[in-house]
Amino acid sequence: MFKRIYLLVLFSIITTTAALAQGSLDIHFNGLGFMDNREYKDFVARSRTYSGVRTTLDLGLNIDSLNHFIVGANGIHEFGAKPYFLKVNPVAYYSFTGKSWLFNAGAFPREGLLDDYPRALLNDTLRYYRPNVEGLLARYHNAHFTETGWIDWVSRQTVTDREQFLFGFSGKYRPSLTGPFYVSHYFLLEHDAGAEVLLPDDHIQDNGGGQVRLGLDFSHKTILDSLSIEAGGMMSFERVRGVDGFHKPAGFVANAYLSWKRFALFDEFYKGQGSHIIYGDAFYEKKTYNRLDIIYTPFLYKRVKGQFILSLHQTPGYSSNQEAFRVTVDLGRQTLVRFKD
């Protein structure tokens, strides 16, 4: 059914261009290559190497400066895998881009929209294996304030498949454009309603979490290129309806980021009760956790970026490591045709 709708949207866009009196048709290509080796002493079953390449190609029909329709495909190939493409995700969405508002509806990339979420809430493998949001997203922003709300449909309910969707909101408030202080927040919740035929021992479940942080941004105010410090609180939410109420473990979070030329350090710290967040990083199930990322960017050009990241994970009694190399290529949106009056 979805394939038919996707083809119908693509056909409609192509046929509509002939009737347009203004606007343009553009093309966009984005590529991600990754090699991510994880040696997790805490989670031996999750010690594995993720390696592959993900490519995205889409066409954008710009009715005017505000209204856009984008259709394309996003495919992933894991090195050594057969068949060649592990999965191809359709890209098909409407986008409204105003002065203060952004609105997306359909299947669209999460990159640049939700990739700033803390790894405690949305883990970093989503970038490899679930790059799109399938649903809605709205963002309002001005000079001091940004707020984003979204819903992402994970699974459509059938006789055997569960109904699952994520929704959340995040934002940042900076009272002074010249001052370093800001406040940020992140929240998400997964709703799992089960399949059409709910088994007697199965129940509707809810799982998620949130963070509120106070931050100081001293970027370009020291000899460093970037320097920021954040600290705040985290709480997770989990319940099985009909069995118990919400479990709400909480804790303290802090992080610091600094960069100078091609080198950067990013340190994250958590102390509190362990949290089980389905789409979050499993390390936050521990009561104490520290992660240090040592980042080196050997090449950085206008449309190409390559990074080596050494991550050191510390939990009580364990020391784990992770080595990753990622290269991204983004050619930007290139105009193919401009429609004239």
Side-chain angles (χ1 to χ4, degrees), residues 313-328:
H313 307 267
Q314 302 289 332
T315 59
Y318 294 97
S319 178
S320 300
N321 58 281
Q322 175 182 349
E323 303 82 32
F325 174 72
R326 303 186 187 99
V327 59
T328 58

Side-chain angles (χ1 to χ4, degrees), residues 5-279:
I5 296 175
Y6 179 66
L7 291 174
L8 179 61
V9 172
L10 178 60
F11 177 76
S12 299
I13 289 178
I14 294 174
T15 55
T16 303
T17 58
L20 289 176
Q22 58 181 339
S24 63
L25 181 69
D26 60 34
I27 189 169
H28 174 243
F29 173 81
N30 176 275
L32 166 68
F34 58 92
M35 180 75 72
D36 191 337
N37 178 61
R38 305 183 180 192
E39 302 292 340
Y40 291 169
K41 306 296 190 302
D42 308 65
F43 308 99
V44 177
R46 301 185 186 186
S47 295
R48 57 162 296 185
T49 299
Y50 301 94
S51 59
V53 61
R54 180 173 280 284
T55 55
T56 306
L57 183 68
D58 63 60
L59 295 173
L61 175 61
N62 307 300
I63 305 300
D64 49 36
S65 62
L66 301 177
N67 299 281
H68 319 274
F69 293 91
I70 297 92
V71 175
N74 187 325
I76 180 174
H77 168 64
E78 287 189 295
F79 297 144
K82 297 179 181 180
Y84 186 84
F85 278 109
L86 173 70
K87 185 178 182 181
V88 177
N89 298 95
V91 175
Y93 65 101
Y94 162 77
S95 181
F96 173 86
T97 54
K99 180 180 179 181
S100 299
W101 284 94
L102 167 69
F103 175 73
N104 285 352
F108 51 90
R110 71 174 65 243
E111 192 83 9
L113 297 174
L114 301 181
D115 51 350
D116 64 333
Y117 260 73
R119 284 179 284 220
L121 304 179
L122 289 175
N123 67 66
D124 49 10
T125 58
L126 292 172
R127 185 180 186 185
Y128 306 148
Y129 298 107
R130 200 167 193 280
N132 290 345
V133 173
E134 298 183 13
L136 304 171
L137 180 142
R139 171 175 290 177
Y140 174 80
H141 63 92
N142 57 34
H144 297 274
F145 176 74
T146 300
E147 186 70 22
T148 303
W150 54 277
I151 182 169
D152 183 9
W153 215 267
V154 178
S155 176
R156 183 179 67 87
Q157 189 179 62
T158 68
V159 175
T160 56
D161 295 327
R162 306 177 71 85
E163 179 185 79
Q164 298 172 328
F165 62 86
L166 287 161
F167 67 92
F169 52 85
S170 64
K172 178 182 286 188
Y173 172 65
R174 188 184 293 269
S176 171
L177 296 181
T178 58
F181 178 73
Y182 63 89
V183 182
S184 61
H185 67 273
Y186 308 88
F187 171 82
L188 65 81
L189 190 72
E190 184 201 38
H191 177 69
D192 183 345
E196 291 179 9
V197 180
L198 197 62
L199 301 176
D201 59 346
D202 201 354
H203 301 272
I204 297 175
Q205 302 176 41
D206 299 291
N207 177 280
Q211 290 189 12
V212 176
R213 303 178 181 181
L214 304 179
L216 296 171
D217 185 356
F218 298 105
S219 297
H220 306 295
K221 297 180 180 179
T222 68
I223 62 172
L224 300 172
D225 296 324
S226 298
L227 175 61
S228 62
I229 303 169
E230 296 182 335
M234 170 176 161
M235 180 177 289
S236 61
F237 312 93
E238 185 174 19
R239 70 171 173 176
V240 180
R241 297 192 190 183
V243 176
D244 57 9
F246 269 113
H247 298 280
K248 295 177 285 187
F252 170 79
V253 292
N255 65 68
Y257 177 80
L258 62 90
S259 68
W260 180 72
K261 295 185 177 180
R262 297 181 183 272
F263 294 91
L265 296 175
F266 182 47
D267 190 84
E268 295 178 272
F269 176 76
Y270 175 76
K271 181 70 174 180
Q273 301 166 300
S275 294
H276 174 248
I277 300 176
I278 292 175
Y279 283 91

